[in-house]
Amino acid sequence: MAMRGAVLLALLAASTFSLASAASHATTNVFALDALVNRTSTLLSAVKLPPSLRSSIFEFVESLGEFSPDQIEAVLVEVRKRAIAPALRVAILLCLVMSVMLMLEAMYMSAVSLGVKLFHRTPEKRYRWEPIRGDEELGSLAYPMVLVQIPMYNEKEVYKLSIGAACALTWPPDRIIIQVLDDSTDPMIKNLVEQECRTWASKGINIAYEVRENRKGYKAGALKKGMEQTYAQQCDYVAIFDADFQPESDFLMRTIPFLMYNSRIALVQARWDFVNYSKCLMTRIQKISLDYHFKVEQESGSSSYAFFGFNGTAGVWRISAINEVGGWKDRTTVEDMDLAVRASLKGWKFLYVGDIKVRSELPSTFKAYRHQQHRWTCGAANLFRKMARDIVLAKEVSLLKKIHVIYSFFFVRRVVAPIVTFAFYCIVIPLSVVVPEVSIPIWGVVYIPTTITLLNAIRNPSSLHIMPFWILFENVMSMHRMKAALIGLLETASVNEWVVTQKLGDTLKEKMQTNAVESTRTSFVTDRVSFLQLGFAVFLMCCASYNVALGVNYYYVYIYLQAFAFVVMGFGYVGTFTTNS
């Protein structure tokens, strides 16, 4: 509600300045004043303000009718110069500082990851790796015990894919245990998953089906419960795959040796590959962002500090490392990052292996993607709040690594990035066109965002033609990410909200055909329309129109495009669409 109020008040400010300016040029100024009063009344009715403040604002606007248009314009210009312009200058300065921080971080990570690629600093060159060879005397005992965990929740569309892929992993049958952690609340789905496990068990696969009485702790709670099983405590390593992930059969053969021959490595993380990236424009845009995350962020962290955030799936952990740092914790919605940070503070190393890819599914509906991004962004910011002190006081890591974790990993990437993207490119720049007393240097408006975009494009050359859509899409998403980051930092009531990302598997086309007939106007509004985004689009339209009529620069080209993006996404015309039916 606070963000909605801020948007509406910004609309009021933009309307006031534009109407006041128009009043000085109009032949019949009373119409402009009437319009201002009417718009003020409409906006105030939509904002929850104290009655006294609401009354004061309305009385002030009504009193403007007692003055001539020139007097009104002079007063508003003076207010703009003395109050609005100084505040906006401070906002511009803060945004420019944060933009420089973000650009330098992106340049550093890109340089490191590019150096790894150019100098062929492969994981096999940095760490010992050799294939596991069978021993005639030891037999299968030459292979360590491996636990494969598959947490799932009502995964009707994909449960067979992940279970089938895990059961097909190349490893001695007596040295591997497949553990399906089913938190499903739908009895029919639970029966289907259990029956699938029995089918594989009848084929000689060592597979265990585990359920809980409640979903306490969500995914972290399920993983923790799974590790408490007697058979799990006999294992040396644990591989984790979400329900839509399908590892290749040689996954363990390629990852486990890094853990066997390097005693300080706690985690080996593989790269995600996407089976449905070509489904729609939104999935293609997601692929650009996630490819950058793995190729640049994970690679640079692994190469320079042997640290990065565990992605929660497609990775193998050393169980002794998990136990040493206290196991899984459910205090945030990013239990994977929580475990990784705690393990790093104990001196454990992480390794990212980009050559090993695990197929997975991208969220193809905007609602599912929005929930996923909220969980990731909010959880990371909240973890920063909870662990900042622990990081500073940690004794088993160097000062340089502490700075990297606090400044680069958390502050710049998890706090600054979502805030500056929305505040600067969607609020400050549009507002600057209606306040001529302020100006933004061209290096802040053009050079910095261009540099960051090019750094993304370099690692995604095949998606270069999509980059303009990626920019507009990411700016709209920054509204939701900034909100989530603030919720996490302030730890409000919805900080631990957990919505499982919907997976559609091979049933997407069937669902779309069925729901095309079943969808209703109610489901369209509740599932697709975002009035917050549409309201913000109106604000951008007002700023762009003012810039066209009275501005001195060409920001309106960008602002109109961004407003159009807010309208399109506000009406839900992005991604695929399936109803809840």
Side-chain angles (χ1 to χ4, degrees), residues 27 34 39 47 95 144 245 311 314 468 484 490 505 528:
T27 55
D34 289 342
R39 183 168 297 185
V47 184
C95 287
F245 278 71
N311 293 110
L490 301 177
R528 299 185 69 171

Side-chain angles (χ1 to χ4, degrees), residues 165-320:
C167 292
L169 289 169
T170 301
W171 205 255
D174 60 330
R175 307 297 290 171
I176 185 172
I177 303 172
I178 311 298
Q179 186 185 64
V180 178
L181 305 168
D182 190 9
D183 271 0
S184 299
T185 54
D186 188 323
M188 182 190 72
I189 296 177
K190 293 183 76 168
N191 290 335
L192 291 173
V193 176
E194 185 176 13
Q195 182 58 45
E196 182 70 10
C197 293
R198 288 177 178 173
T199 300
W200 282 104
S202 67
K203 298 177 181 180
I205 301 297
N206 190 359
I207 186 169
Y209 175 73
E210 304 290 349
V211 296
R212 299 190 294 164
E213 295 181 357
N214 57 65
R215 293 187 64 218
K216 183 180 183 301
Y218 303 108
K219 181 180 176 180
L223 294 171
K224 183 178 180 180
K225 186 71 175 179
M227 294 295 294
E228 293 173 354
Q229 303 301 318
T230 303
Y231 59 82
Q233 297 174 9
Q234 301 171 0
C235 296
D236 303 296
Y237 309 110
V238 55
I240 302 171
F241 301 103
D242 283 351
D244 59 312
F245 278 71
Q246 307 166 57
E248 297 294 338
S249 59
D250 63 350
F251 178 85
L252 296 178
M253 289 293 189
R254 298 180 65 185
T255 55
I256 294 295
F258 284 113
L259 295 162
M260 289 180 61
Y261 301 124
N262 302 275
S263 61
R264 292 310 298 169
I265 292 182
L267 164 68
V268 177
Q269 173 72 60
R271 179 179 158 189
W272 296 0
D273 200 12
F274 311 106
V275 297
N276 67 329
Y277 77 91
S278 61
K279 182 64 66 176
C280 60
L281 180 60
M282 190 184 80
T283 52
R284 291 179 184 274
I285 290 173
Q286 289 180 68
K287 185 178 184 298
I288 293 176
S289 298
L290 286 171
D291 279 352
Y292 177 83
H293 168 70
F294 282 103
K295 292 179 181 180
V296 178
E297 292 184 359
Q298 301 297 72
E299 185 66 85
S300 64
S302 175
S303 301
S304 56
Y305 293 96
F307 167 77
F308 50 83
F310 174 44
N311 293 110
T313 178
V316 187
W317 276 91
R318 188 185 300 273
I319 292 179
S320 60

Side-chain angles (χ1 to χ4, degrees), residues 323-341:
N323 294 334
E324 180 185 338
V325 300
W328 294 99
K329 293 187 177 181
D330 59 4
R331 55 182 174 174
T332 69
T333 57
V334 285
E335 72 295 322
D336 43 15
M337 186 183 293
D338 189 340
L339 177 63
V341 174

